[in-house]
């Protein structure tokens, strides 16, 4: 009886995922392993929308030609990594005016005090003391608009973005309390990558594209021989034993290389370590370098092909913007009606 009932039930709506990335700076191996790779898996189970957040990028000064170039490069890289434009919505934030429009409305439902507490605002205004602009201050409101427009259930982000998800939920709950159920309340989805990739030079710190020492990170765009060199000069220890000891900071360098190798070869760090028992760090590093280069090679070949095909890229982002608009406009209309605008 019960199974029969289930069969006649309408299929549940697939959960929606929204995430975005700023086209500022290069994409590192850490970003690929920690974020993009996971999105590739998520697109099978969820309705996904991923966007290039160019409007967020201009909260710090950009070189216009660079920003434009990097936005397209990022889009090409996503596709090359396996994000399938047939399966998800892939678009450029500034192509969907609904983001700016909803952000304005939400600005009027967000308190100065809330924004003043955001750690990213405090950090960025310290780093860019000559340009503490209002956009930097209201950054979290635009981000809330990004997410709420799509009625996203889940937002995969790194730990540093969790505070932004929290404020997004606060704003959405506040709005819903006033006007009824307008927004889906999103959950932050801390991506469990199985591996947090650390700096090659200071392996107790996260690998970061803003590391002043380029030897600390691997860019997905680095030449293969540069990648190999960076891995070979990774900081290790003087113990000379290849063993995975995640709790031992003195092994941070080796732990990191083992994690990287494990991800690139679909294994786990313990198993990788076993395979190198008794061998020297030199041979181990060469093997890691080869695994990384071979892992990145097919992505890069695909990327090189896509980035040259401007017509294809244009097709993808135009199509993505159209789909994004369709979903976002529905939410925006609802919001406009609720706050008392005359709706056409
Ligand atoms: N703030 C995010 C970051 O710097 C990027 C971002 C903008 C984003 N809007 C978003 C991420 C919406 C997830 C959802 O990483």
């Amino acid at each position: 009886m019960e199974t029969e009932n289930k069969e006649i039930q309408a299929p549940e709506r697939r959960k929606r995922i929204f995430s975005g990335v700023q086209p500022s700076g290069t994409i590192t191996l850490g970003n690929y392993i920690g974020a993009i790779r996971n999105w590739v898996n998520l697109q099978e189970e969820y309705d996904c929308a991923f966007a290039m957040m160019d409007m967020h990028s201009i909260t710090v000064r950009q070189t216009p030609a660079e920003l434009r170039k990097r936005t397209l490069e990022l889009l090409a890289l996503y596709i090359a990594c396996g994000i399938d434009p047939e399966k998800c919505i892939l678009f450029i934030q500034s192509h969907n005016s609904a983001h700016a429009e909803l952000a304005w409305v939400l600005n009027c439902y967000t308190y100065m005090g809330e924004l003043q507490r955001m750690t990213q605002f405090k950090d960025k205004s310290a780093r860019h003391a000559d340009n503490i602009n209002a956009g930097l201050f209201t950054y979290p409101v635009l981000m809330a608009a990004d997410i709420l427009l799509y009625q996203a259930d889940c937002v995969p982000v790194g730990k540093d973005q969790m505070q932004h998800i929290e404020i997004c939920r606060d704003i959405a709950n506040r709005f819903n309390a006033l006007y009824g159920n307008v927004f889906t309340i999103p959950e932050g989805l801390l991506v469990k990558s199985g591996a947090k990739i650390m700096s090659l030079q200071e392996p107790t710190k996260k690998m970061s594209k803003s590391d002043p020492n380029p030897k600390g990170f691997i860019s997905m765009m680095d030449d293969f021989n540069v990648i190999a060199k960076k891995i070979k000069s990774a900081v290790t220890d003087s113990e000379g034993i290849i063993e995975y000891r995640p709790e031992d900071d003195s092994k941070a360098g080796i732990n990191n290389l083992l994690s990287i190798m494990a991800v690139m070869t679909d294994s786990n760090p313990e198993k990788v370590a076993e395979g190198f028992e008794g061998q020297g760090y030199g041979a181990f590093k060469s093997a890691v370098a080869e695994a990384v280069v071979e892992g990145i090679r097919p992505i890069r070949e695909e990327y090189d092909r896509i980035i040259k095909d401007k017509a294809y890229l244009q097709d993808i982002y135009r199509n993505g913007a159209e789909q994004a608009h369709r979903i976002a406009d529905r939410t925006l209309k609802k919001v406009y009606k609720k706050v008392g605008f005359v709706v056409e």
Side-chain angles (χ1 to χ4, degrees):
M1 206 48 205
E2 224 171 76
T3 41
E4 252 173 46
N5 268 340
K6 266 191 192 135
E7 272 169 31
I8 50 166
Q9 269 172 12
E12 259 182 75
R13 171 172 91 84
R14 290 221 295 183
K15 289 207 164 172
R16 181 164 290 137
I17 282 200
F18 183 92
S19 197
V21 82
Q22 290 191 56
S24 25
T26 48
I27 297 293
T28 67
L29 181 70
N31 298 136
Y32 171 64
I33 292 174
I36 306 176
R37 253 168 138 260
N38 296 293
W39 296 3
V40 173
N41 297 328
L42 291 172
Q43 66 185 347
E44 306 301 335
E45 289 168 52
Y46 297 85
D47 280 340
C48 295
F50 300 121
M52 320 296 127
M53 298 307 187
D54 53 350
M55 290 163 73
H56 280 104
S57 290
I58 63 164
T59 55
V60 301
R61 217 48 93 219
Q62 301 287 330
T63 308
E66 276 290 303
L67 178 60
R68 196 170 359 260
K69 185 164 159 267
R70 279 200 313 260
T71 303
L72 293 175
E73 286 174 355
L74 191 59
L75 180 64
L77 184 63
Y78 275 18
I79 301 169
C81 286
I83 302 214
D84 184 349
E86 299 283 322
K87 289 187 187 145
C88 39
I89 304 175
L90 211 46
F91 72 104
I92 298 169
Q93 185 187 27
S94 63
H95 289 183
N96 185 357
S97 55
H99 291 248
E101 292 177 83
L102 181 60
W104 173 255
V105 174
L106 297 182
N107 265 322
C108 304
Y109 295 81
T110 308
Y111 297 110
M112 301 287 285
E114 286 178 293
L115 294 172
Q116 254 144 4
R117 285 196 291 273
M118 304 305 289
T119 50
Q120 184 175 289
F121 172 69
K122 288 191 246 175
D123 286 354
K124 284 198 181 169
S125 30
R127 265 190 286 137
H128 305 276
D130 55 335
N131 182 21
I132 306 177
N133 61 72
L136 198 60
F137 190 61
T138 59
Y139 180 115
V141 183
L142 179 59
M143 181 160 162
D146 298 334
I147 297 166
L148 299 177
L149 275 176
Y150 300 91
Q151 307 288 350
D153 300 281
C154 302
V155 186
V157 283
K159 225 184 182 163
D160 63 316
Q161 294 297 315
M162 270 312 196
Q163 201 186 20
H164 286 155
I165 305 297
E166 275 314 307
I167 196 172
C168 171
R169 291 164 56 92
D170 290 345
I171 297 168
N173 277 318
R174 183 173 305 143
F175 199 92
N176 283 355
L178 285 166
Y179 302 109
N181 261 344
V182 178
F183 297 125
T184 303
I185 307 300
E187 305 256 356
L189 189 67
L190 256 193
V191 180
K192 45 171 181 12
S193 60
K196 183 168 160 201
I197 303 306
M198 313 304 278
S199 158
L200 296 174
Q201 291 299 313
E202 287 174 83
T204 50
K205 284 196 192 151
K206 194 175 136 189
M207 181 180 283
S208 162
K209 63 186 171 192
S210 38
D211 190 334
N213 181 359
K215 285 168 100 184
F217 64 88
I218 291 170
S219 160
M220 293 296 284
M221 295 299 143
D222 277 341
D223 277 344
F224 291 151
N225 56 353
V226 171
I227 294 179
K229 250 193 221 139
K230 284 182 179 177
I231 291 175
K232 285 176 191 167
S233 59
V235 166
T236 50
D237 54 72
S238 54
E239 192 186 36
I241 296 172
I242 301 172
E243 220 170 51
Y244 187 59
R245 300 207 296 261
E247 308 308 327
D248 181 353
D249 267 357
S250 75
K251 293 303 277 185
I254 289 293
N255 292 338
N256 190 35
L257 292 175
L258 286 168
S259 299
I260 293 174
M261 179 88 175
V263 173
M264 297 320 266
T265 57
D266 270 326
S267 177
N268 62 57
E270 290 85 357
K271 250 204 202 116
V272 174
E274 267 170 38
F276 285 93
E277 215 182 295
Q279 295 197 44
Y281 287 173
F284 172 55
K285 282 176 169 179
S286 294
V288 177
E290 195 186 321
V292 171
V293 167
E294 290 318 310
I296 293 181
R297 190 189 301 279
I299 297 174
R300 277 285 283 285
E301 284 171 358
E302 190 61 4
Y303 170 84
D304 289 341
R305 193 181 62 73
I306 297 169
I307 196 69
K308 283 195 216 108
D309 195 345
K310 297 292 182 241
Y312 170 73
L313 279 175
Q314 198 175 59
D315 223 47
I316 299 295
Y317 66 66
R318 281 190 177 158
N319 200 300
E322 208 179 285
Q323 295 180 68
H325 245 306
R326 208 173 309 131
I327 301 173
D329 282 350
R330 216 176 300 145
T331 304
L332 190 65
K333 274 249 161 63
K334 231 193 234 175
V335 168
Y336 275 11
K337 208 164 149 189
K338 293 287 188 188
V339 300
F341 293 167
V342 176
V343 180
E344 317 128 80

